Amino acid sequence: MSDSIDVPVTLAGIARIAGVGRAAVSNWRRRHDSFPTPVGGTDTSPQFSLAAVERWLYAHGKIERIGLRERLWPHYEALGERAVMGAALAEAGRRLLAAEGADQAVPEQSLLPEEAAQVVDETVDAARHEGGRETFDFLLSRWLDAHVRQVSTTPAPLARLMADIALAVRAGGTGDGDARTTVLDPACGVGGLLMAAGEGIGEWGAETNSTAPALLGTDLDPTLAALAAARLGFARAGGGGMDAEIRAGDSLRADPHGAVRADIVLGNPPFNARDWGHEELATDPRWVYGLPPRTEPELAWIEHALARLVPDGVAVLLLPPAVASRRAGRRIRGALLRTGALRGVVALPAGAAQPHSVSLQLWILRMPASDSGAPGERLFLLDAATSQGAARGAQSIDWPRLSGRVLDAVHAHSWSGERKTGARKQLPEGCVTVPVMDLLDEQTDLTPARHVPETAVEAQAKLHESWGRLDGLLGEVRGHSRSLAAIDLSASGDAASTVTVSDLDRAHALKLRQGQTLPGELLHGDALSDGAVPVLSVPDLVQGEGPGGWLAGAEVEKGASTGSFTVAEPGDVVVAGVERAYRVWVQEDTPLVLGPQLYALRPDRELLDPWFLAGCLRAPANARQAGSHTSSSARIDVRKLRVLQLSLAEQRPYAAAFRELLALEESLRSVAAVGEDLLRGLGDGLAAGRLHRSRR
């Protein structure tokens, strides 16, 4: 591999190369004066010369050998733009497949910059020692990790579950004997769903000697389409038995696979895309179930999937939960039910896929056969959102258990619509079939949780957990109460003198900064990635939730330096300047980007204690005096808020008392929330006749 180009590498990159945690690299920097000095970046995110880092690691015995693939990745990072990095990797995949003599249809990336072309050469050179597919898969994984919020992927266990559901609904296989199965993904990304479908059909076909499946994919992004083609090309070259054809294009506006009818359609289409072609596609023949509203692009993908299926073909789509209940889509949901096109909805645990904070759903659709009888009279609903790990995110999801639970329910249901007796399996707990006529009301809400009764075991487990939380919270309340009850407020004398925030700002005792409107194109709404900075707005506070989005760390650093972002650092006092959401707190742990009507006060620690400052500002009487009632929004003029004039030593006992007061308030709010859950759970359980009477 060529050493002609030196590239910068971050602390995280050094940690990956050395096979240690980032904290270990930070320790090396502090303990060894010989550690390489930064060549770029910033104080919080420095960059180092890769060549200098390698020499230091070898000289100090931190590593014996650096793998060629690990050395490659910093060269890709140095290319900068996501599209350039991806195009270089796709071209490397094309050349590696060609070198192996594999039949593949990866488009050549013809206009690569000189630096990118050299990285491709280095990749091909390294692959001679590391293996072509191994090198490509490694670099693709790194590329996806680096751009996890710009490139949405379907986790491999979920992709396989979707494929297995489709196969099970298609009567346990791929249709007619040895007939070739065609699988289509109209928004394929880097091909994860098609890979899973090929593997699933391959395992079934090994027992039946069926023909290898035809895998068809389309993606709007040519780079993603090229990467998917290379990925599936390596799978085929490795004996995966997959015949793939990936094309770049807009599936909704001009589908390059428009003439194809597939046996299975799998999809994880883009969510909330407003510019999907509503106007130009108004008379499109695909809208058999009604023209999707502009605000319902997911319904357009549903109707598109059905239009691309053969009769009795099956589609499984991953969709946001709002599709099942939004009023704008009620008419189309009703049409899907009446025709029998929609056969099932499965609610997944939060964290199963991006956005990780939402409990996504799998919609199971089947194209009605022209000669079929009456459509299915019942809708299959499974609430798997309460599976183990649902409340803890993707890392805690027990995929084998979740997949087993879903597939057991799918196999137990009769997807043909026929009523079986005797041999028919009983549906497991958490799964029901609901008469279609019962769902066709004013809402046509298909959310599984609205129709699937909570099991007695789940209800009892929730109650047990809530009782434990309540006991712990009551202990906290008692502790805070004892501390605050000892406070003596009987001191009398002259009224304490105060000073306004504006005066303190002018005297440089604190620095007052106001939150700003944030660019929507940079704001992300799913789970935080590494290095991301959460963003808080007044609506987030009104809704009683935490930060509603986040920004990439590099964007925040750039915005803070130019003054376009207001960032509250740990130790700053944050004030919400509207009466309906008036809050004051000391920001702890992590930085926070502030939206409009939020303020960050950074006190001079030699003059002001942050907790003392926050305690003075959050007094209700203080906010009333500084309030402006000239409009319905009733804003608080933060500059008019008043603070006691005390020395730093005199502030300390006030700060301790304010801190204890805030802790008590938080504990009481938590007690109220847990108490409401307990009351609901106990009331529902008793009304359902679940009271267990022990025999004596």
Side-chain angles (χ1 to χ4, degrees):
M1 180 174 163
S2 172
D3 293 318
S4 59
I5 296 180
D6 190 21
V7 295
V9 62
T10 63
L11 290 173
I14 297 172
R16 285 195 295 264
I17 290 172
V20 298
R22 182 168 173 173
V25 180
S26 297
N27 275 336
W28 295 344
R29 287 189 69 195
R30 287 193 298 267
R31 294 172 53 194
H32 299 278
D33 294 336
S34 60
F35 194 88
T37 57
V39 296
T42 64
D43 290 341
T44 56
S45 183
Q47 295 179 334
F48 305 83
S49 161
L50 175 60
V53 166
E54 289 180 350
R55 289 194 295 269
W56 189 90
L57 291 173
Y58 283 126
H60 289 76
K62 302 299 183 184
I63 194 168
E64 295 182 1
R65 176 183 177 273
I66 299 176
L68 295 179
R69 288 178 290 180
E70 284 288 358
R71 292 198 71 230
L72 272 173
W73 176 243
H75 290 257
Y76 277 90
E77 283 186 309
L79 297 177
E81 295 183 21
R82 174 180 68 84
V84 175
M85 296 166 63
L89 180 54
E91 175 63 13
R94 186 192 69 81
R95 288 179 54 182
L96 291 172
L97 283 167
E100 294 180 6
D103 292 335
Q104 42 84 28
V106 184
E108 182 176 358
Q109 309 298 300
S110 55
L111 298 177
L112 289 177
E114 182 179 351
E115 296 84 355
Q118 183 161 353
V119 172
V120 173
D121 291 339
E122 293 173 339
T123 304
V124 174
D125 182 48
R128 295 192 184 100
H129 307 279
E130 302 277 342
R133 181 173 186 177
E134 292 79 6
T135 300
F136 178 83
D137 286 347
F138 172 85
L139 293 172
L140 177 61
S141 176
R142 283 291 170 82
W143 185 79
L144 291 172
D145 288 343
H147 305 288
V148 66
R149 303 312 171 194
Q150 290 78 40
V151 181
S152 178
T153 59
T154 307
L158 177 57
R160 183 56 191 267
L161 174 60
M162 293 171 65
D164 287 344
I165 290 173
L167 290 171
V169 175
R170 248 182 91 70
T174 56
D176 301 327
D178 60 355
R180 192 183 202 195
T181 301
T182 300
V183 182
L184 171 67
D185 184 346
C188 67
V190 294
L193 282 169
L194 292 174
M195 284 280 291
E199 292 167 357
I201 295 173
E203 291 177 8
W204 177 85
E207 301 177 1
T208 61
N209 297 318
S210 65
T211 307
L215 307 177
L216 308 178
T218 305
D219 201 272
L220 186 62
D221 187 334
T223 299
L224 297 183
L227 288 169
R231 187 182 185 189
L232 290 162
F234 279 111
R236 181 181 183 185
M242 303 179 190
D243 186 5
E245 181 181 348
I246 310 298
R247 298 179 181 178
D250 188 331
S251 289
L252 291 182
R253 286 186 170 92
D255 188 0
H257 292 298
V260 174
R261 292 299 176 267
D263 302 291
I264 294 173
V265 173
L266 300 175
N268 179 1
F271 301 162
N272 302 320
R274 294 293 182 261
D275 183 22
W276 57 270
H278 178 265
E279 288 82 5
E280 59 261 46
L281 298 175
T283 59
D284 196 285
R286 286 172 293 180
W287 313 143
V288 173
Y289 307 93
L291 173 64
R294 182 196 306 275
T295 57
E296 296 284 332
E298 295 85 5
L299 292 177
W301 286 104
I302 289 172
E303 295 199 63
H304 172 79
L306 287 166
R308 293 294 176 263
L309 286 172
V310 299
D312 270 341
V314 175
V316 179
L317 303 182
L318 182 67
L319 300 171
V323 181
S325 59
R326 279 192 298 237
R327 185 169 183 82
R330 180 181 63 86
R331 181 172 53 85
I332 292 180
R333 290 196 299 272
L336 292 170
L337 288 173
R338 282 189 292 269
T339 58
L342 177 59
R343 307 306 296 273
V345 179
V346 177
L348 298 171
Q354 296 173 314
H356 294 295
S357 59
V358 177
S359 173
L360 298 174
Q361 296 176 353
L362 296 177
W363 280 39
I364 303 171
L365 304 128
R366 193 165 195 169
M367 183 61 182
S370 57
D371 58 348
S372 62
E377 299 176 353
R378 306 178 74 88
L379 181 69
F380 172 88
L381 294 172
L382 171 61
D383 185 10
T386 56
S387 295
Q388 180 182 353
R392 299 177 179 85
Q395 300 301 320
S396 300
I397 292 179
D398 185 342
W399 280 107
R401 177 181 173 185
L402 173 63
S403 299
R405 178 183 178 187
V406 173
L407 291 174
D408 284 347
V410 168
H411 285 295
H413 179 57
S414 172
W415 294 97
S416 65
E418 299 175 0
R419 295 186 177 182
K420 295 182 179 181
T421 59
R424 181 177 180 181
K425 297 180 180 178
Q426 182 178 359
L427 292 176
E429 287 188 334
C431 179
V432 297
T433 59
V434 180
V436 167
M437 293 305 297
D438 291 352
L439 298 168
L440 297 173
D441 54 19
E442 294 183 358
Q443 295 180 316
T444 315
D445 190 337
L446 309 182
T447 305
R450 290 182 60 89
H451 307 283
V452 178
E454 187 177 52
T455 67
V457 173
E458 291 171 344
Q460 184 58 35
K462 285 184 178 180
L463 283 175
H464 181 74
E465 181 180 355
S466 294
W467 281 121
R469 289 182 59 204
L470 182 61
D471 286 342
L473 288 169
L474 290 176
E476 291 180 11
V477 168
R478 284 190 291 270
H480 298 316
S481 299
R482 283 193 292 268
S483 297
L484 292 170
I487 294 177
D488 186 355
L489 298 178
S490 63
S492 60
D494 296 334
S497 59
T498 59
V499 62
T500 65
V501 167
S502 180
D503 292 335
L504 291 171
D505 189 21
R506 283 195 297 269
H508 303 293
L510 59 78
K511 184 178 181 181
L512 174 65
R513 294 164 300 137
Q514 183 174 356
Q516 303 172 63
T517 301
L518 302 171
E521 66 272 13
L522 299 179
L523 192 62
H524 305 273
D526 49 7
L528 269 72
S529 66
D530 292 340
V533 181
V535 175
L536 185 69
S537 66
V538 168
D540 295 333
L541 293 175
V542 172
Q543 295 168 13
E545 301 176 355
W550 58 269
L551 293 167
E555 294 292 345
V556 173
E557 196 168 319
K558 178 181 176 182
S561 64
T562 60
S564 56
F565 292 165
T566 299
V567 183
E569 299 287 349
D572 288 356
V573 176
V574 181
V575 182
V578 291
E579 187 176 275
R580 60 177 178 154
Y582 187 65
R583 305 277 197 286
V584 181
W585 68 91
V586 177
Q587 182 63 20
E588 298 184 284
D589 300 328
T590 61
L592 183 67
V593 178
L594 303 181
Q597 300 179 347
L598 294 173
Y599 300 81
L601 286 69
R602 182 164 297 169
D604 182 339
R605 295 297 188 91
E606 295 184 359
L607 299 174
L608 281 173
D609 183 292
W611 289 97
F612 167 78
L613 176 61
C616 290
L617 298 181
R618 71 189 305 273
N622 201 354
R624 286 195 298 270
Q625 293 174 1
S628 170
H629 301 278
T630 57
S631 67
S632 59
S633 60
R635 298 186 180 183
I636 304 294
D637 188 344
V638 175
R639 293 182 175 275
K640 293 181 180 179
L641 292 170
R642 306 193 72 84
V643 180
L644 286 170
Q645 276 191 300
L646 298 174
S647 67
L648 189 60
E650 292 173 313
Q651 293 173 26
R652 296 283 162 72
Y654 281 89
F658 281 137
R659 196 164 190 166
E660 199 73 33
L661 184 63
L662 180 61
L664 175 61
E665 182 181 34
E666 291 299 318
S667 294
L668 289 173
R669 284 178 179 169
S670 298
V671 166
V674 173
E676 288 180 5
D677 288 342
L678 277 169
L679 291 173
R680 282 195 298 267
L682 286 169
D684 289 344
L686 290 170
R690 293 177 181 167
L691 182 63
H692 178 71
R693 298 178 179 84
S694 58
R695 296 182 179 179
R696 296 188 178 180

